[in-house]
Amino acid sequence: MVAAKDNQQVRLLRTQVIHIYDDEDDDDVCLNICNYCRKTLLKMRYYDRRKRRTVFFSCVFLLLLLMVLLVTTFVRESGSAIVTDDGRQQSASAIVADESARLQYNSTVTTISSASAVSTISEVTIPEPFNTTIANINEPFEGGRDMPYFFHIPRALGSTVKDILGRCAYVRIAWNATATMEGLTHARDTQLVQSGQVDMIPTQYLHEGATLFDGQEHRGRCFTFMRHPIERAVSLFHYLGIASHEPTYDP
């Protein structure tokens, strides 16, 4: 009697499985499988041991069937038509090919643009006085003629660079002599660079400082350190609140 009931239950489960799968829409099939497994598992506590085992393996079979359906749907849709943003229908493989061609084209355009930019930079005319008083970066350093010319950008490691070079490397630096416009004018009138009293010219005034060099016997070797503009602005804001020696001191 018990065996007859078990066989009847198995036949019922098989019938339900066939009914679930007998649907042309895969989305409905997946939804039916999930709902059937959920409802069946909730009722398992009312079944005996043998019936629980039958129901459990049936649910496992249905879940495996669900996985097969999902994989089959994905494989089939990978070659199906997809509507793009411009309204055209293309297969997934065609879209991938178009994207690859577009990326290759953009890479080619970027390479051409970079080459054009290099050629354009090489044709840029350097304004006065840099084209005569500042050495070209491509030219070798000439001892006795070239002098380090440090463009000091505020709150961008400038003071640290001067401290390291002046106090550790014993480089003779025009500390405050070129820090202001008046100091630059005085250094130019007294020919500070030509005097041989300093080894490096630091200043925050790039154009005016370049006029200290004559470009013949003395050239400037310009270098600088940069910092992220937002970080530099924040640092300058806090610095001016504590730097009482600065003319823009504002606590």
Side-chain angles (χ1 to χ4, degrees):
M1 190 69 180
V2 176
K5 291 184 178 179
D6 290 342
N7 292 333
Q8 182 181 1
Q9 182 66 24
V10 171
R11 288 195 298 271
L12 178 62
L13 289 174
R14 290 177 180 175
T15 303
Q16 291 176 343
V17 169
I18 294 174
H19 175 71
I20 290 174
Y21 191 72
D22 189 16
D23 198 324
E24 295 180 357
D25 193 350
D26 290 338
D27 294 336
D28 293 338
V29 173
C30 296
L31 182 61
N32 291 338
I33 291 176
C34 292
N35 290 334
Y36 174 77
C37 292
R38 180 178 60 83
K39 294 178 182 179
T40 304
L41 292 175
L42 290 176
K43 295 179 181 179
M44 281 183 62
R45 56 183 177 176
Y46 302 109
Y47 300 155
D48 55 16
R49 176 180 294 182
R50 181 174 296 181
K51 191 174 182 179
R52 286 181 183 179
R53 184 173 54 187
T54 304
V55 172
F56 175 78
F57 285 109
S58 300
C59 291
V60 171
F61 171 77
L62 289 175
L63 292 177
L64 292 176
L65 178 62
L66 176 61
M67 293 178 62
V68 172
L69 283 175
L70 292 176
V71 173
T72 305
T73 303
F74 175 79
V75 173
R76 185 173 66 245
E77 290 183 353
S78 62
S80 61
I82 298 176
V83 180
T84 58
D85 294 337
D86 55 0
R88 297 183 294 112
Q89 290 189 353
Q90 287 182 315
S91 63
S93 58
I95 293 177
V96 172
D98 292 344
E99 288 295 325
S100 300
R102 184 178 63 83
L103 291 176
Q104 185 176 3
Y105 172 77
N106 291 339
S107 177
T108 304
V109 171
T110 303
T111 303
I112 296 175
S113 301
S114 301
S116 302
V118 171
S119 61
T120 303
I121 292 175
S122 61
E123 297 173 359
V124 171
T125 302
I126 301 178
E128 292 283 352
F130 298 101
N131 59 342
T132 56
T133 61
I134 303 300
N136 193 307
I137 191 173
N138 296 321
E139 298 178 358
F141 183 86
E142 297 183 17
R145 183 187 181 192
D146 295 345
M147 177 180 293
Y149 176 48
F150 178 47
F151 176 38
H152 182 180
I153 300 176
R155 311 308 301 165
L157 201 66
S159 299
T160 303
V161 171
K162 291 190 293 185
D163 287 340
I164 293 175
L165 293 177
R167 305 182 191 280
C168 299
Y170 302 104
V171 176
R172 295 179 300 172
I173 301 176
W175 291 94
N176 297 321
T178 56
T180 61
M181 292 295 296
E182 293 78 9
L184 287 172
T185 301
H186 183 266
R188 184 167 52 252
D189 295 340
T190 58
Q191 296 185 345
L192 178 62
V193 173
Q194 291 79 3
S195 66
Q197 297 180 1
V198 295
D199 299 324
M200 188 180 80
I201 299 293
T203 184
Q204 298 181 14
Y205 304 95
L206 181 63
H207 295 78
E208 292 77 8
T211 60
L212 299 179
F213 306 94
D214 54 33
Q216 300 299 324
E217 297 181 359
H218 302 87
R219 297 187 309 179
R221 279 283 175 175
C222 187
F223 71 100
T224 188
F225 284 84
M226 296 183 179
R227 188 178 183 182
H228 192 284
I230 296 179
E231 294 181 358
R232 193 177 76 86
V234 173
S235 176
L236 183 62
F237 172 79
H238 293 291
Y239 170 75
L240 294 178
I242 60 175
S244 58
H245 60 282
E246 295 284 353
T248 54
Y249 171 66
D250 186 11

